[in-house]
Amino acid sequence: MNDTIIAALISAGASVLVGLLGSQSGHHRARSPVARDRRSVHLWYAAMAMLAVWQLASPAWHHDWGGMNFIAVPIAMGALALVVPIRPLTAVWMTLALASTNFVLGPLGNRLVGSSSDTRFGLPAEKLVVVFGISLVGAAVIGAICLLRERFAARGSGATQSVTEPGPDLVADLATLASLRNNGTLSEAEFRAAKQQLLDRS
């Protein structure tokens, strides 16, 4: 196995591990923004699984699909980012993980259908730079889409103003603030300011 495939496997494994650890952390109420974010993550996991199957099956139509998927996958993930809101960093690692799996699934798909083309795991150095460049740019654009959606949603909901009003239960209000910070609705600075207002009024 050459260095390219080893690097792709390590990258994919690390991405999946980080995603699983992130999705298991904390327990929140079913209607919280974090719970909604988890539902979005599950939809993205399902999309990842379908795209991985596509990466494996698409060479059956033409052997060049193994290479074209390095462009097709970021486009598909970008379309998903426009429809299903998710944390920007989660979208980025998922996109990069799919880029990594294509190093394995593209050539494997060609082998399974008996193609004599593009069956080598790995790429020449000059092509590897281009492919990683496309993957990184695609992941950055997808992350930016998710970040913009997040900012517009926060601005439209007025979440920052509503959580600064002290409620009957300070602990519940602080938990709500923490949830909003964890799902990215509040920045760290906004979280600290709102928390301080709650503590000052209690």
Side-chain angles (χ1 to χ4, degrees), residues 29 33 154 157-170 172-181 183 185-187 189-199 201:
R29 289 174 297 205
S157 68
T160 307
Q161 289 75 19
S162 65
V163 297
T164 57
E165 292 297 324
D169 186 358
L170 179 62
D173 289 340
L174 289 172
T176 301
L177 279 177
S179 295
L180 291 170
R181 179 193 59 188
N183 81 343
T185 302
L186 293 179
S187 68
E190 290 170 332
F191 168 77
R192 286 189 193 137
K195 178 177 147 186
Q196 191 58 51
Q197 286 183 13
L198 282 175
L199 294 174
R201 294 177 187 180

Side-chain angles (χ1 to χ4, degrees), residues 68-105:
M68 292 171 63
N69 281 334
F70 285 109
I71 297 171
V73 166
I75 291 172
M77 296 295 271
L80 183 63
L82 290 170
V83 177
V84 180
I86 195 172
R87 297 178 193 178
L89 288 179
T90 304
V92 168
W93 81 252
M94 286 184 170
T95 303
L96 292 176
L98 277 170
S100 299
T101 61
N102 200 48
F103 282 107
V104 179
L105 298 178

Side-chain angles (χ1 to χ4, degrees), residues 48-67:
M48 280 183 75
M50 288 188 292
L51 286 168
V53 170
W54 168 255
Q55 288 173 333
L56 184 63
S58 58
W61 285 279
H62 196 280
H63 67 87
D64 281 342
W65 267 108

Side-chain angles (χ1 to χ4, degrees), residues 85 146-160 184-185:
C146 292
L147 183 62
L148 287 172
R149 282 188 58 109
E150 204 172 67
R151 295 283 165 90
F152 283 123
R155 196 178 293 165
S157 68
T160 307
T185 302

